[in-house]
Amino acid sequence: MNTNKKSNRMPLYTKIIRYMWLVFIVGLVGIVLFIAAVNVNFLGLFGDLPDFESLENPESELASELYSADGVLLGKYFRENRTPVSYNELSPNLINALIATEDVRFEDHSGIDPRGLSRVLVKTLLLGQRGAGGGSTLSQQTAKNLFKTRTRESQGLLSNVPILRMVIIKTKEWIVAAKLERAYTKEELLTMYLNTSDFGSNAFGIKTAAGTFFNKEPRDLNIQESATLVGLFKAPSYYSPVYNPENSNRRRNTVLSQMNKYGFITQSQFDSLSKLPIELEYLVEGHNEGLATYFREVVKADLIQWTKENLKPDGSNYDLFGDGLRVYTTIDSRLQKYAEEAVAEHMPELQAKFREEMGNRDPWIDSQGRVIPDFIENAVKRTQAYRNLKSRYGDNEDSISVKLNEKKKMTVFSYEKGEIDTLMSTMDSLRYYKKFLQTGFVSMDPHSGHIKAWVGGTNHKYFKYDHVKQGKRQPGSTFKPFVYAAAIENGYGPCYTVIDQPVEINQPDQPTWRPSNANREFTFERMTIRAAMSQSVNSVTAYMMKKLSPGVVVETAHRIGITSELEEVPALALGTVDVSIMEMVGSFSTFVNKGEHITPIYIDRIEDKNGNVLHQFIPRKRPAMSEEHAYIMVYMLRGGTEEEGGTSQGLPRNLRDEGNEIGGKTGTTQNASDGWYMGITKDLVSGVWVGGDDRAIHFRSWLNGQGSRTARPIWANFMTKVYEDPSLGITKGPFPKPERPLSIEIDCSKYDLNQDVYQEFDYDATSTDF
C-alpha cells in the first residue's frame, strides 16, 4: 500500500514545471489582455491611442514660412521651429550615424527589437545597472515624438500609479510602433523621426538643426557634423556643442565609435575624425535677424487676423504657429537687401551729425529751441516698465522712482560698437534711446501695387515700432503735389504763373493764415507752378489752395490714395496732417500708373503645408484721375530734377544719366521734426521718412534737418544699388507718354509767359474765397 501511495505522488520538479507553465500561460494571457486593454483604452484606464487616420496622417507642429516673391525664405512663425524634409534630402552620413547609435537592427525588426529589450531587462532588472537604456527602437521613438505618448493629455486613470505609468507608456509606444511599421516604409520612418526630434537651441527637426548649428542643408552634413547632431538625441542640453562643448565632443566621438563598430566608417576615419574640433556656424533663427524684420512682424499681425477669419475643412481655425502655412509676399529679396543697406549706410552718418549738433544738450526742444522740462519723466509714464511698477506700488511715486533709477545690467544698441554691455537704469536707457533718429522706407511697383521693399526702422531688436504702416507723421511739402493735382484737374496747366509774394487766407471765425517761405523771404517774381513745386515755394502753393479751396484738395488727395482723415484747413497745403509712408507711396503711384490707383499689397497668396492655395490676394484698383492729368503730374514732379533750383537737383548724376527721368519731392516740417523724400521712376515709387520718435526730437538747425539731407540720400543710395543690378530688370529711361496727344502744351519754353494772357489781375491777398 505504501509503495503504491508513493508511486502516485507527483515528483516535485514536475509540479514546479507545471506551475511555471501555468504562470507563463497566465502571464502570457495577462500580457495579451493588458496590451488589448491598452489598445482600446478599456474603461478609460490607460489613455487614448492615435486612431488609424492619425497614424496615416500624423500631425506635428510645423513652422509657417514667409517667402519673398523671388523664392527666398524671409522668416518663420512658430512655437516649435520645424520644417520637414524628405528622405532624399538627408545625408547618408546622417542615416548611418543614426542607425549605428540608436537602432542598429532597425532594418530587421518590425517596431520592437526583442534582443535590445532582453538586453535592457537583464541589465536593469537582474544586474541592476543604470544607464542600460530603454531599449526603444527608432519606431518607438518616432511614436513618442509624433503622438506625445508621455504627456499628461494622453494618460488614463492608472497612469497615476508610478511604476505602472511607465509600463503603460512603453506598451503604448510598442503598439504604435508596430502600427507605424505596417503603415510606413523604413525610409519614411527614419525621415519622420528626424523631422520630429528636438535638437535643442529651439531647433525642431533636422532641417532647422542643420541650419542652426552648421548653416547647412541636411543633405550637406559631413560625417562629424552628422555624429554631433545624432549625439544630441541623448540629451540636447547636456550635449549641446554651444553650451557644453566638451560633453558634445565626447558624445560625438561615441557616435563615431558606433559607426566604426558597425562598419559605417573605417578605423582610420574614426582615428582622424575623432581628433577634429567641432566647428560650428551657430545661429538661432529669431524675429530680429535676417531680411525684412519689421515687415515680418506687420505680416504676422495680418496673418493672425486671417486665421481668425478663415476655417479649415474640419471647421477649426488655422494655426499660424503650427500648421506649416506657406505665405508668399510681394517683397523682392534683392530690393529688400538694397533698401536695408541704404538705411544702414546713411543712418549712422546722420546720427553722428545729430549727436555732434546736440553736444551735451538734450534734443527734445520746443518751438523756441528750449529744452522741454520733465520730458523723460513724462515719457517714461507711457512705457510698460512704468505700468508694471504702477501696478506693484500704486500711488507710491517714491518707490516707483527708486526702481526706475535703479541701475542694472543691460545690453544697449549703438552704431559704432554694435551691442554694448553696460549698467543703466530704466530712466538712463530711455534717455539714451530717445536721442536716436528713426526712419521708414518703402518701395512699390506702381503698375502692380506690389510692395517690393519695406524697412520699418533702424534696428528691430531695439526699436520695435514700424514707421512704414503703423507710424504717421506730417508730410510737409511732400503733400504739395496733391494741391497741384487738384489745380491740374481744374484747368491750371504746369505753365500757369503766380507771383511769389505774401498770401493771406481768411476764413470766418478762423485766424488769418499767412504762410512764409522756408527761407522767410519772397522774390516777388512770377514763376510757373511747375517751377514753384520743384523749388517747394510755400507762397505759390498757398495761393493755389486759396484759388481751389481746402475741400477740393481733400477730395483730390483721398481720391488719389490718401486714406487718413484730412482736415479742411488752408494749412493742409503745406502738409500739416499725419499720414503714413504707405499712403504716400500708394498715392504717388497713381501718377505713374496713368491715373489708376492700386491699393498697395504685400501678401500675394497663402498656401497650406501641401501647397494648396488657401487665399489669393488680388490688388484693388480704381480710376482716380485721367491718364493725361496723371502724366502732367509726373511732368510736374520731374521738375525737381529738371527745373533750376529744384529740390531734387542734389541727386547724383549717375541716377540722371542715360536719359533717365526721375520725379521727386522733398518735405520738411516746421522745426525739421520730419524729413521726407518721395521719388518716382518708371518702375518704382519709393518713400522715405526720417525723424525722432517724438516730434520734439529734431535737429536744432532747420538746414540740417531738411528732407534733402535726412531722407533723400537713402532713396538715392537705394536706387543706385537697384540700377547696378541687371538681374532685377529695372532700367533707366523715360516715363511712357499717353497714347493720345496731350490737350495742352506742357513745355513752358514754348510760351511767352510775359503776355497778358498769362497774368493774374483779380488777385486780392486779403479776400475771403471760401
Side-chain angles (χ1 to χ4, degrees):
M1 291 290 294
N2 293 337
T3 304
N4 292 335
K5 285 182 180 180
K6 287 182 181 180
S7 63
N8 290 334
R9 288 179 181 174
M10 186 180 297
L12 180 61
Y13 73 88
T14 304
K15 288 184 179 181
I16 293 174
I17 291 173
R18 286 191 175 185
Y19 280 126
M20 289 177 67
W21 272 107
L22 180 62
V23 170
F24 175 76
I25 293 170
V26 171
L28 184 62
V29 172
I31 290 173
V32 171
L33 291 175
F34 178 77
I35 293 173
V38 172
N39 190 38
V40 299
N41 188 23
F42 183 68
L43 299 179
L45 297 173
F46 305 98
D48 291 327
L49 279 172
D51 55 25
F52 179 78
E53 183 178 350
S54 298
L55 289 172
E56 288 292 309
N57 299 282
E59 292 286 338
S60 60
E61 288 206 341
L62 301 178
S64 292
E65 297 178 329
L66 192 73
Y67 288 94
S68 68
D70 54 326
V72 174
L73 179 63
L74 296 175
K76 300 178 183 179
Y77 307 112
F78 53 82
R79 281 182 293 270
E80 295 182 355
N81 186 6
R82 186 197 321 277
T83 302
V85 295
S86 66
Y87 184 83
N88 293 331
E89 297 175 85
L90 299 173
S91 166
N93 299 317
L94 188 67
I95 300 299
N96 294 339
L98 178 62
I99 290 176
T101 308
E102 298 293 326
D103 191 354
V104 73
R105 287 177 292 278
F106 175 71
E107 295 291 343
D108 302 323
H109 63 66
S110 297
I112 301 172
D113 180 14
R115 286 176 58 185
L117 188 59
S118 301
R119 172 183 54 80
V120 172
L121 290 175
V122 170
K123 288 186 175 181
T124 303
L125 299 181
L126 299 182
L127 303 180
Q129 293 181 3
R130 291 187 176 184
S136 293
T137 64
L138 283 173
S139 304
Q140 291 171 239
Q141 293 179 55
T142 303
K144 180 177 67 174
N145 290 347
L146 280 173
F147 303 107
K148 312 299 182 186
T149 54
R150 305 194 179 200
T151 60
R152 181 172 298 178
E153 292 76 12
S154 65
Q155 307 304 311
L157 295 176
L158 292 179
S159 299
N160 294 323
V161 181
I163 297 177
L164 187 57
R165 176 178 181 273
M166 184 51 65
V167 173
I168 293 171
I169 287 173
K170 281 292 185 181
T171 303
K172 285 183 176 183
E173 291 174 0
W174 292 338
I175 294 170
V176 176
K179 291 180 178 180
L180 288 174
E181 287 275 354
R182 291 197 297 271
Y184 296 97
T185 67
K186 292 290 186 178
E187 290 181 352
E188 289 172 332
L189 286 172
L190 282 172
T191 306
M192 278 195 287
Y193 177 73
L194 289 168
N195 279 334
T196 55
S197 294
D198 179 6
F199 292 82
S201 293
N202 202 27
F204 295 84
I206 185 60
K207 182 177 177 66
T208 305
T212 298
F213 292 101
F214 299 108
N215 191 26
K216 286 187 175 183
E217 292 296 319
R219 63 164 56 91
D220 300 323
L221 293 169
N222 60 34
I223 296 173
Q224 62 269 31
E225 291 165 347
S226 299
T228 301
L229 293 180
V230 168
L232 290 169
F233 293 140
K234 190 172 180 67
S237 297
Y238 185 75
Y239 293 111
S240 168
V242 178
Y243 303 109
N244 293 296
E246 292 183 2
N247 295 347
S248 178
N249 190 75
R250 188 170 62 252
R251 178 62 182 166
R252 181 204 64 179
N253 290 347
T254 299
V255 175
L256 291 173
S257 176
Q258 289 292 104
M259 295 179 73
N260 177 38
K261 177 180 178 181
Y262 293 109
F264 292 110
I265 60 174
T266 64
Q267 183 65 43
S268 61
Q269 283 179 302
F270 171 75
D271 292 338
S272 60
L273 293 176
S274 61
K275 295 175 183 177
L276 294 175
I278 296 177
E279 296 181 356
L280 299 176
E281 197 168 333
Y282 182 70
L283 178 64
V284 177
E285 288 187 53
H287 302 302
N288 296 314
E289 293 84 27
L291 284 175
T293 48
Y294 288 91
F295 174 75
R296 281 149 44 187
E297 286 299 298
V298 171
V299 173
K300 181 174 77 171
D302 291 347
L303 292 174
I304 290 174
Q305 185 62 36
W306 183 88
T307 60
K308 293 178 181 178
E309 298 171 354
N310 292 270
L311 301 178
K312 299 179 187 178
D314 64 4
S316 63
N317 288 96
Y318 285 98
D319 179 8
L320 176 64
F321 304 100
D323 280 346
L325 301 177
R326 300 175 188 172
V327 183
Y328 291 88
T329 71
T330 64
I331 293 291
D332 186 291
S333 66
R334 297 160 296 180
L335 290 173
Q336 180 66 31
K337 176 175 175 286
Y338 298 147
E340 293 185 10
E341 287 176 354
V343 167
E345 289 164 8
H346 175 66
M347 290 306 294
E349 296 178 3
L350 188 66
Q351 185 67 37
K353 293 178 182 177
F354 185 57
R355 188 182 297 111
E356 182 181 358
E357 185 198 78
M358 180 171 41
N360 295 323
R361 301 172 296 182
D362 289 327
W364 36 88
I365 53 179
D366 60 20
S367 59
Q368 305 301 316
R370 298 169 299 195
V371 174
I372 300 173
D374 300 325
F375 177 84
I376 294 297
E377 288 72 16
N378 292 326
V380 77
K381 294 179 180 179
R382 298 191 293 270
T383 65
Q384 186 61 46
Y386 180 85
R387 287 191 288 270
N388 292 340
L389 291 172
K390 187 72 175 176
S391 63
R392 180 179 177 182
Y393 294 106
D395 294 331
N396 190 340
E397 292 295 329
D398 289 339
S399 296
I400 294 175
S401 178
V402 168
K403 287 294 182 181
L404 289 175
N405 287 282
E406 185 177 83
K407 293 188 181 297
K408 47 188 175 289
K409 291 182 179 179
M410 66 174 65
T411 303
V412 297
F413 166 79
S414 77
Y415 283 117
E416 300 84 359
K417 301 178 181 178
E419 294 183 327
I420 301 174
D421 293 325
T422 185
L423 283 174
M424 277 190 183
S425 67
T426 299
M427 296 296 287
D428 293 335
S429 65
L430 184 62
R431 185 175 291 105
Y432 175 78
Y433 281 124
K434 281 291 184 182
K435 295 178 179 180
F436 280 88
L437 294 174
Q438 301 299 325
T439 189
F441 174 93
V442 70
S443 186
M444 170 178 163
D445 179 342
H447 309 296
S448 65
H450 289 179
I451 297 298
K452 310 307 292 183
W454 179 314
V455 185
T458 55
N459 186 291
H460 186 261
K461 183 176 182 179
Y462 292 96
F463 306 102
K464 299 295 187 186
Y465 192 74
D466 171 67
H467 292 284
V468 169
K469 186 180 178 184
Q470 292 177 300
K472 291 189 176 185
R473 297 291 283 264
Q474 291 183 1
S477 294
T478 55
F479 194 86
K480 289 176 180 177
F482 301 120
V483 178
Y484 290 105
I488 296 297
E489 289 186 320
N490 282 274
Y492 297 92
C495 302
Y496 179 74
T497 59
V498 178
I499 296 175
D500 173 21
Q501 61 183 344
V503 176
E504 288 186 357
I505 297 183
N506 299 284
Q507 288 180 285
D509 304 320
Q510 295 292 328
T512 299
W513 185 54
R514 301 184 182 90
S516 61
N517 288 329
N519 60 5
R520 309 290 179 180
E521 298 177 355
F522 301 96
T523 65
F524 295 95
E525 296 179 355
R526 186 175 298 280
M527 59 172 49
T528 65
I529 60 173
R530 184 180 192 245
M533 192 177 89
S534 71
Q535 297 174 29
S536 205
V537 180
N538 291 345
S539 64
V540 176
T541 311
Y543 173 74
M544 296 311 298
M545 173 65 91
K546 184 180 178 77
K547 297 280 285 185
L548 296 164
S549 84
V552 171
V553 173
V554 167
E555 187 279 329
T556 302
H558 278 154
R559 175 163 38 84
I560 291 173
I562 295 297
T563 57
S564 294
E565 184 177 347
L566 302 176
E567 189 177 1
E568 294 185 9
V569 296
L572 179 65
L574 305 186
T576 57
V577 69
D578 288 349
V579 295
S580 69
I581 311 175
M582 183 75 82
E583 290 175 79
M584 294 293 285
V585 167
S587 300
F588 274 62
S589 292
T590 301
F591 302 140
V592 182
N593 196 38
K594 301 181 179 181
E596 183 179 58
H597 174 69
I598 305 179
T599 302
I601 69 167
Y602 43 84
I603 302 177
D604 178 59
R605 68 187 185 277
I606 301 173
E607 297 179 356
D608 66 15
K609 64 182 180 181
N610 298 314
N612 300 309
V613 177
L614 303 176
H615 194 124
Q616 180 74 54
F617 293 84
I618 307 297
R620 288 179 293 169
K621 304 178 181 181
R622 56 176 171 79
M625 63 193 310
S626 72
E627 183 179 359
E628 176 175 303
H629 290 154
Y631 180 77
I632 293 174
M633 279 308 302
V634 169
Y635 179 71
M636 292 280 289
L637 287 165
R638 282 167 47 196
T641 57
E642 297 172 359
E643 292 278 350
E644 184 179 353
T647 57
S648 294
Q649 286 284 332
L651 289 174
R653 295 298 305 175
N654 66 286
L655 291 179
R656 295 187 281 157
D657 59 9
E658 302 177 33
N660 196 33
E661 291 181 349
I662 294 174
K665 188 71 194 79
T666 57
T668 312
T669 56
Q670 192 174 15
N671 293 332
S673 296
D674 304 278
W676 288 74
Y677 189 74
M678 301 297 301
I680 66 172
T681 66
K682 65 182 180 64
D683 296 318
L684 291 175
V685 173
S686 309
V688 192
W689 166 86
V690 174
D693 264 336
D694 192 283
R695 299 177 201 274
I697 301 170
H698 52 79
F699 280 97
R700 291 172 179 264
S701 163
W702 188 89
L703 189 65
N704 290 334
Q706 60 184 308
S708 61
R709 296 193 176 191
T710 61
R712 190 180 68 195
I714 293 176
W715 185 90
N717 195 354
F718 169 72
M719 289 306 300
T720 297
K721 295 174 184 291
V722 169
Y723 285 135
E724 289 175 349
D725 186 349
S727 70
L728 293 168
I730 296 174
T731 58
K732 297 177 180 179
F735 292 95
K737 295 181 179 180
E739 293 182 5
R740 303 173 67 176
L742 299 179
S743 61
I744 63 170
E745 178 57 63
I746 60 175
D747 184 355
C748 300
S749 67
K750 295 184 178 181
Y751 293 102
D752 183 357
L753 300 179
N754 293 316
Q755 293 182 16
D756 290 346
V757 69
Y758 300 109
Q759 312 300 311
E760 277 288 335
F761 297 104
D762 60 349
Y763 175 63
D764 179 0
T766 61
S767 67
T768 300
D769 292 331
F770 44 86

